[in-house]
Amino acid sequence: MKFCGCFSFVCHYFLMASLGVYLGSRFAGHSPLGSLFDFLSFTALFLGLLNAWLFSVWENDETDKKIDIISNPERPLIKNLLTNEEWRNIKYIFLFLALNFAFLGGLYLLIFILLFLIMYHLYSTPPLRLKKIPGVSSLLIACNALIAVLAGFFMTAGTENLRAFPMKYLFGIIIIFFWKFWRWREASV
């Protein structure tokens, strides 16, 4: 993946979380940034998502090393810019940071970041390695888009009730991003 592609995925998840913040503020009827604590919580949300995504990308690159020797020889792990041990250490630093920022953002953010990580783990790593199954891989990425929206929503809405999230948006997000990533996958094959 080129830098531009990576940057667009980070922006994608940030925009999804921002959509959730917007929907949550509409539901709650107040501004999402009422205090310094709110600002720090949202900072934790975005930094948690960023580090969770970085961990997932590094885990995927580590898993795809044999494939990338042929298909993506420009990847840092293939070019031996880092040793396998250094790569793993940095990967786990991203995981540590993701979980710590999620913890600082609250229980719901921690749950959503854990779900995000689990989805990408199922997507990338054996024994399941679901990215090889057309449709399922797109569904997992669409679910992660929804997880980012839900994280932003529940941090802003001030409710613990999952039914508070508008169902039409829930299904709309899944369908739109499933289609988007299905088309992206088809174009890249």
Side-chain angles (χ1 to χ4, degrees):
M1 208 182 279
K2 294 179 180 166
F3 174 75
C4 185
C6 289
F7 182 71
S8 68
F9 263 98
V10 171
C11 289
H12 161 76
Y13 287 117
F14 282 9
L15 286 172
M16 292 298 96
S18 297
L19 173 63
V21 169
Y22 171 75
L23 293 173
S25 65
R26 296 270 318 236
F27 173 82
H30 61 77
S31 170
L33 294 176
S35 69
L36 178 61
F37 180 75
D38 291 336
F39 176 76
L40 294 175
S41 294
F42 289 113
T43 301
L45 165 66
F46 290 106
L47 290 175
L49 271 176
L50 173 66
N51 283 287
W53 180 81
L54 285 169
F55 169 79
S56 300
V57 168
W58 282 54
E59 184 174 54
N60 183 62
D61 284 356
E62 186 177 23
T63 304
D64 285 350
K65 189 174 179 182
K66 289 179 184 176
I67 297 166
D68 285 343
I69 289 171
I70 297 166
S71 64
N72 292 311
E74 296 301 312
R75 297 258 170 123
L77 193 56
I78 304 306
K79 291 174 86 174
N80 292 318
L81 297 177
L82 297 169
T83 67
N84 287 338
E85 184 179 346
E86 291 170 332
W87 187 270
R88 247 181 250 109
N89 290 339
I90 293 170
K91 177 182 83 167
Y92 287 120
I93 289 170
F94 290 140
L95 178 63
F96 175 79
L97 290 171
L99 294 176
N100 277 287
F101 282 120
F103 177 77
L104 291 172
L107 178 62
Y108 289 100
L109 181 57
L110 180 61
I111 291 169
F112 286 124
I113 293 291
L114 284 170
L115 286 172
F116 185 93
L117 290 164
I118 289 168
M119 290 290 194
Y120 265 121
H121 185 75
L122 293 173
Y123 174 86
S124 296
T125 60
L128 296 179
R129 201 165 159 81
L130 296 175
K131 76 180 192 175
K132 290 186 171 190
I133 304 171
V136 174
S137 59
S138 299
L139 182 62
L140 288 174
I141 295 173
C143 286
N144 269 351
L146 178 63
I147 287 169
V149 172
L150 291 172
F153 178 84
F154 285 104
M155 286 191 71
T156 310
T159 181
E160 294 83 29
N161 188 347
L162 285 174
R163 288 180 282 167
F165 188 80
M167 292 308 257
K168 63 183 176 183
Y169 293 125
L170 186 134
F171 293 117
I173 290 166
I174 293 290
I175 290 167
I176 289 167
F177 287 103
F178 173 80
W179 181 77
K180 175 188 174 194
F181 290 111
W182 179 270
R183 303 273 303 169
W184 174 74
R185 180 177 166 80
E186 290 296 313
S188 65
V189 174

